[in-house]
């Protein structure tokens, strides 16, 4: 896949994840719809983190010729998805809640903030110029 195709795949997973994640954050927890949407949200976040690992760093230093600092958020997302899932499965509600809040804040808000910085592809798409 080209970088552009990866960017589209990344957006195809992260945009619905943002919508579902926002909905889950403000709605009642523990219901059947919450659990169903939660599984969908975790799968989308897992997919978006995996896709992002194939996208080479375009700004800043590169490690191993490919990875940048932003890829640390992808690795953290992979770990947090696992933690949140297994915490929910084992009834560790506080751990699950904290992992999900961290996943939303770090995986969507912080990473999204980096994606909107000047010089990044998404910034160019949304605000023109690149």
């Amino acid at each position: 896949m080209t970088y552009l195709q990866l960017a589209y795949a990344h957006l195809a997973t992260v945009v619905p994840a943002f919508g579902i994640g926002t909905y889950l954050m403000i709605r009642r927890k523990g219901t059947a719809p919450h659990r169903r949407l939660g599984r969908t949200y975790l799968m989308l976040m897992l997919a978006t983190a995996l896709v992002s690992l194939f996208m080479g760093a375009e700004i800043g230093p590169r490690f191993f010729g490919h990875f940048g600092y932003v890829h640390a958020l992808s690795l953290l997302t992979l770990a947090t998805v696992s933690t949140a899932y297994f915490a929910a499965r084992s009834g560790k509600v506080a751990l699950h809640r904290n992992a999900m809040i961290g996943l939303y804040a770090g995986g969507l808000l912080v990473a999204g903030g980096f994606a909107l910085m000047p010089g990044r592809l998404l910034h160019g798409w949304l605000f023109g110029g690149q």
Side-chain angles (χ1 to χ4, degrees):
M1 287 184 112
T2 67
Y3 186 84
L4 193 56
Q5 290 170 320
L6 288 168
Y8 285 131
H10 185 64
L11 282 174
T13 57
V14 79
V15 169
F18 181 75
I20 292 169
T22 302
Y23 177 83
L24 290 170
M25 293 291 276
I26 62 176
R27 298 298 297 185
R28 187 167 174 247
K29 312 300 185 268
T31 63
H34 173 87
R35 290 189 297 272
R36 262 192 317 275
L37 281 173
R39 283 190 290 273
T40 301
Y41 173 72
L42 287 179
M43 293 303 295
L44 286 167
M45 291 302 291
L46 177 66
T48 202
L50 289 173
V51 167
S52 70
L53 289 173
F54 289 96
M55 298 171 71
E58 295 291 315
I59 295 176
R62 287 187 181 192
F63 306 98
F64 306 109
H66 178 83
F67 300 104
Y69 290 124
V70 74
H71 288 99
L73 290 173
S74 300
L75 297 175
L76 184 59
T77 295
L78 294 176
T80 306
V81 163
S82 300
T83 299
Y85 176 79
F86 289 113
R89 297 283 298 167
S90 61
K92 297 177 181 173
V93 176
L95 177 59
H96 173 73
R97 179 182 59 245
N98 292 337
M100 293 304 283
I101 290 169
L103 182 60
Y104 184 84
L108 290 172
L109 299 180
V110 171
F114 285 135
L116 292 172
M117 293 178 69
R120 303 291 306 249
L121 182 62
L122 188 57
H123 181 275
W125 285 352
L126 294 176
F127 305 112
Q130 181 66 344

